Amino acid sequence: MTKQIVCADAGMDCSFVVQSESEDELVEMVTLHGEHQHDVEMEKNDIRDLIKPA
C-alpha cells in the first residue's frame, strides 16, 4: 500500500508531498527535505507519525 507524508501536516507552509510503499524511504526523503529546504532536523519517530495512506 502506498503511503505519503505531506510537509504542511508538520506545520510548514510548504507544498512538498512524498509517496512510497516503504516507510523507511519516506522517512529518509522527509529527513533530507527538512534539512535542505527548512533547515530543521526531525526525529524519525516524529516523521513516522506523519505517515498516512495515499
Side-chain angles (χ1 to χ4, degrees):
M1 172 186 3
T2 302
K3 299 170 187 166
Q4 71 178 9
I5 295 179
V6 178
C7 193
D9 289 348
M12 299 292 182
D13 183 18
C14 178
S15 61
F16 178 79
V17 177
V18 62
Q19 295 183 342
S20 177
E21 291 189 14
S22 167
E23 288 189 13
D24 290 335
E25 184 176 28
L26 287 172
V27 170
E28 180 64 25
M29 294 174 81
V30 170
T31 298
L32 292 172
H33 172 76
E35 290 172 355
H36 293 226
Q37 298 300 315
H38 303 293
D39 199 28
V40 297
E41 292 183 27
M42 292 181 66
E43 297 290 326
K44 291 185 188 296
N45 287 335
D46 292 336
I47 295 171
R48 287 187 188 283
D49 289 343
L50 297 171
I51 296 174
K52 297 181 180 174

